[in-house]
Amino acid sequence: MSAADFRDLHHGRAPEDPLVLPGPWDAVSARVFADAGFPALATPSAAVAASLGYEDGGTPADEMFAAVARIVRSVDVPVSADVEAGYGLPAGELVARVLETGAVGINLEDSDPGEALVEPLRQADRLAEIRAEAGDALFVNARVDTFLLGVSDPGAAAIERARLYVAAGADCVYPIGAPMDALPRLRREITGPINAVASPGAPGAPALGRLGVTRVTFGPGLLLHTLDALREWSTRLRG
């Protein structure tokens, strides 16, 4: 499937049927999700980092791109790649490196490695450069970190940034960490698809969809659940 096919998966969905994108961290987890029938996958950088022995945010760019390429090669469904804040690469090089992996989409954060928000107009300019370089070959998911970093009125700040990012060419916005009660306002004020993360104890995908979410991802949550199962089995084996 192409980026256009992946883009189409985000549109025309019923409210109770958001696009659910599991997050593989390696080739074997990707095959499990694809074999389960999911139409596409989205790598989580934190889970890939853990699988490679790094802290979240500490994966060298070459290793992240290599991991994404292994995931893409292992499945026959489209894969979107979490490229964090872009590793300091110019837009053209970033787009070229992602396309070399075979991924059809990217997730790009708007906070720098020091966890400070990038000025919104500067981030919008970067997204516009990425769109110009990629054309329609990449689906761009623009992460909005206002809820993560404790800014005043994070909802209003997220809406301001989301509008700029969509105008710059983002296909979807991802106000990560937005509480459930903020989602209806975000849906009313933002044009285009909205990504939300599902977590233990949170409403399931249909409930998130009814609150205005278009697509659901999991961050490193699926890896963490897998590790819990491994710990349980390790305890049994030791017992």
Side-chain angles (χ1 to χ4, degrees):
M1 292 179 74
S2 66
D5 296 319
F6 183 58
R7 190 172 287 111
D8 287 344
L9 290 173
H10 293 74
H11 296 281
R13 309 192 69 88
E16 67 278 3
D17 182 35
L19 177 63
V20 176
L21 299 176
W25 52 91
D26 59 11
V28 67
S29 60
R31 286 195 292 270
V32 168
F33 296 139
D35 288 347
F38 290 97
L41 308 174
T43 68
S45 61
V48 174
S51 76
L52 297 174
Y54 295 102
E55 295 295 327
D56 185 18
T59 310
D62 287 349
E63 293 198 46
M64 183 62 76
F65 290 126
V68 171
R70 288 192 293 271
I71 289 169
V72 171
R73 287 198 302 269
S74 72
V75 296
D76 58 3
V77 298
V79 176
S80 180
D82 184 346
V83 295
E84 303 180 277
Y87 309 108
L89 298 174
E93 184 177 353
L94 178 61
V95 168
R97 295 291 300 273
V98 173
L99 291 176
E100 284 172 1
T101 71
V104 300
I106 60 169
N107 183 78
L108 190 72
E109 303 169 7
D110 67 352
S111 58
D112 63 27
E115 295 197 343
L117 282 166
V118 177
E119 196 278 325
L121 289 174
R122 182 157 67 89
Q123 183 71 359
D125 286 344
R126 180 157 170 75
L127 289 166
E129 291 173 359
I130 289 169
R131 173 55 67 213
E133 294 286 345
D136 291 332
L138 284 178
F139 182 99
V140 178
N141 187 39
R143 205 177 89 173
V144 181
D145 288 359
T146 58
F147 289 96
L148 282 187
L149 299 183
V151 304
S152 61
D153 199 350
I159 290 166
E160 175 193 4
R161 286 172 175 267
R163 288 173 173 171
L164 288 170
Y165 301 167
V166 169
D171 294 285
C172 183
V173 293
Y174 180 15
I176 187 171
M180 298 300 107
D181 59 4
L183 293 175
R185 178 190 180 193
L186 296 175
R187 176 67 286 161
R188 288 193 305 270
E189 300 290 339
I190 296 171
T191 301
I194 294 175
N195 188 163
V197 64
S199 57
L208 288 170
R210 287 189 288 270
L211 290 171
V213 170
T214 312
R215 87 180 205 176
V216 177
T217 53
F218 300 88
L222 298 174
L223 170 62
L224 297 177
H225 283 298
T226 302
L227 293 178
D228 285 343
L230 285 173
R231 291 187 187 96
E232 181 179 345
W233 273 104
S234 296
T235 300
R236 292 181 183 180
L237 292 171
R238 289 280 294 174

